[in-house]
Amino acid sequence: MGKERICLAYSGGLDTSCILKWLLEKDFDVVCMIADLGQQEDFEAARKKALAIGACAVYVEDVKEEFVTDFIFPAIKANAIYEGRYLLGTSVARPCIAKKQIEVCHKENCGYVAHGATGKGNDQVRFELTYYSLEPNIKVVAPWRDPEFYNRFQGRADLMAYASERGIPVPSTPKAPWSMDENMLHCSYESGILEDPAAVPPPEMFHVCVNPEDAPNKAEHIKITFKDGNPVRVENLDDGTIIEGPVPILTYLNALGRKHGVGRVDIVENRFVGIKSRGVYETPGGSILRVAHMDIEGVAMDREVMRLRDMLSPKFSELVYYGFWYSPEMDFLMAAINKSQEYIDGNVQVKLYKGTAIAQARESPTSLYDPELASMNVAGGYNPSDATGFIRINAVRLKAHRAIITKLLKNKSA
């Protein structure tokens, strides 16, 4: 009988390299899947490393287009933000990776999947809920929840010793006192010295954006064009650069955001597993898009539709954070949000300056804004005297409530 085949989400780092070797020693045939989400990594070196360790096959999957189009832009359209500050850069990436991993499983006839997520974090949930949603019969190996594994490897020193014994190349430079995860939407930092929420991150930690105080003293002005809520074009109003296409647009906005120090946030958040954790995030392009998208909605979205969509956005964000991207409730929310984005078309001018992205002007062919109705100087089709009845009708319940309160207070004092 042949060996069981397993697909490992592989990064080339110390943890997943040791997991790869450990799985081989558990008598698996290991297929590695590396997802290119736009992070700055040497994918060819990681591929060669996995093969040298013993992987029977390595897939380097370029998922940037799918990541932006099918995961990032839907989150932008939903104005998704977790607990009011986190733009979900890691959360939207995990289902994208896990989906591609399942596709590799089907190609390679793997009955198992494995990942390197810890047993205390959110990522284990995000990976595995996606696995089971897309392939209910898949079997999951989660080494950091396996007592045999985590009792053997209780820290980086144990992993380094194991790697040395097994001939696995190890990093030659000291590990930074924090962990970092990067993709096309953001870069996150956590653990290590950041586990003290009172500790101020050192300036050298930040990998993406310049410090806002070190950003250029001259502002930069751009115009972002939206069609049905999706960004389709960016024009630099200062130098004439024009960018189109999902990946080029986000790449360009990331570059501008980095330059101007846009998109840093340092928070303590609530993990799905019940633990509070501190995360520091840099989301330059995503932060710019959020500002512009919310602004174009201001002129092009109906008031009551906006109120309903705003009620759905926190739930959408929670589902993304918790790992329920592929779920019936997410399908329902996605359909509602896509409906809300019909005719969210137009341009928003944004000023980038020292850590800020500020919407300054907007125009839309589907604008619901009527200058004559809004003007204090022009009556237009609005009769000011009509407001008297409007106010009286809305005051009926307030008057009734005050009458009851007054009566109760009189009875109480009698």
Side-chain angles (χ1 to χ4, degrees), residues 117-182:
T118 71
K120 288 186 176 181
N122 295 306
D123 282 344
Q124 57 179 338
V125 183
R126 296 165 182 157
F127 276 118
E128 294 179 34
L129 290 181
T130 301
Y131 297 153
Y132 291 130
S133 293
L134 300 179
E135 183 49 74
N137 296 319
I138 200 72
K139 300 179 182 69
V140 177
V141 175
W144 286 114
R145 296 203 308 268
D146 185 327
E148 179 187 342
F149 187 89
Y150 67 69
N151 286 328
R152 181 175 182 178
F153 303 108
Q154 298 188 16
R156 181 175 173 82
D158 292 334
L159 291 170
M160 292 284 282
Y162 177 79
S164 180
E165 292 168 5
R166 301 301 195 275
I168 300 170
V170 297
S172 57
T173 56
K175 177 178 167 59
W178 53 78
S179 66
M180 185 176 77
D181 182 73
E182 183 184 14

Side-chain angles (χ1 to χ4, degrees), residues 38 64 260 320:
K64 292 191 290 292
H260 293 280
V320 175

Side-chain angles (χ1 to χ4, degrees), residues 105-379:
C105 279
H106 292 158
K107 291 178 185 177
E108 289 287 335
N109 295 314
C110 295
Y112 291 77
V113 285
H115 59 77
T118 71
K120 288 186 176 181
N122 295 306
D123 282 344
Q124 57 179 338
V125 183
R126 296 165 182 157
F127 276 118
E128 294 179 34
L129 290 181
T130 301
Y131 297 153
Y132 291 130
S133 293
L134 300 179
E135 183 49 74
N137 296 319
I138 200 72
K139 300 179 182 69
V140 177
V141 175
W144 286 114
R145 296 203 308 268
D146 185 327
E148 179 187 342
F149 187 89
Y150 67 69
N151 286 328
R152 181 175 182 178
F153 303 108
Q154 298 188 16
R156 181 175 173 82
D158 292 334
L159 291 170
M160 292 284 282
Y162 177 79
S164 180
E165 292 168 5
R166 301 301 195 275
I168 300 170
V170 297
S172 57
T173 56
K175 177 178 167 59
W178 53 78
S179 66
M180 185 176 77
D181 182 73
E182 183 184 14
N183 62 48
M184 200 169 180
L185 181 56
H186 86 163
C187 187
S188 66
Y189 312 87
E190 61 181 11
S191 74
I193 62 173
L194 299 177
E195 290 177 353
D196 177 3
V200 177
E204 63 270 19
M205 181 188 80
F206 293 98
H207 174 71
V208 176
C209 300
V210 303
N211 287 319
E213 58 265 33
D214 298 326
N217 292 322
K218 182 180 179 182
E220 198 159 1
H221 304 83
I222 60 175
K223 181 166 69 174
I224 302 176
T225 301
F226 291 89
K227 176 64 178 175
D228 292 333
N230 286 309
V232 296
R233 187 175 188 269
V234 176
E235 179 182 356
N236 190 312
L237 300 176
D238 297 330
D239 65 17
T241 298
I242 294 175
I243 304 293
E244 295 180 338
V247 171
I249 282 174
L250 186 56
T251 301
Y252 184 64
L253 291 178
N254 277 336
L256 293 180
R258 288 187 181 102
K259 174 182 174 182
H260 293 280
V262 175
R264 282 191 186 176
V265 63
D266 185 331
I267 64 175
V268 173
E269 66 201 60
N270 291 292
R271 289 179 178 171
F272 188 21
V273 294
I275 301 171
K276 283 189 180 290
S277 68
R278 192 232 191 127
V280 182
Y281 305 101
E282 295 183 284
T283 316
S287 297
I288 296 169
L289 283 175
R290 175 177 170 81
V291 167
H293 179 260
M294 292 182 72
D295 194 79
I296 196 65
E297 286 186 332
V299 296
M301 183 177 280
D302 174 78
R303 182 187 74 174
E304 296 305 315
V305 171
M306 182 178 288
R307 286 180 177 178
L308 287 170
R309 194 284 318 281
D310 286 350
M311 293 168 62
L312 299 178
S313 291
K315 187 62 181 179
F316 181 100
S317 305
E318 182 182 273
L319 291 176
V320 175
Y321 187 84
Y322 289 172
F324 290 94
W325 187 274
Y326 294 103
S327 65
E329 60 269 36
M330 178 59 90
D331 291 343
F332 169 80
L333 287 179
M334 199 74 78
I337 286 165
N338 285 336
K339 183 65 179 179
S340 78
Q341 296 300 295
E342 292 178 356
Y343 313 119
I344 304 302
D345 306 338
N347 307 309
V348 178
Q349 293 185 33
V350 180
K351 181 176 79 171
L352 308 175
Y353 183 68
K354 290 192 177 295
T356 63
I358 302 171
Q360 293 189 302
R362 72 288 303 160
E363 58 182 354
S364 170
T366 55
S367 175
L368 299 175
Y369 176 84
D370 187 326
E372 290 193 354
L373 283 177
S375 174
M376 294 295 181
N377 300 315
V378 180

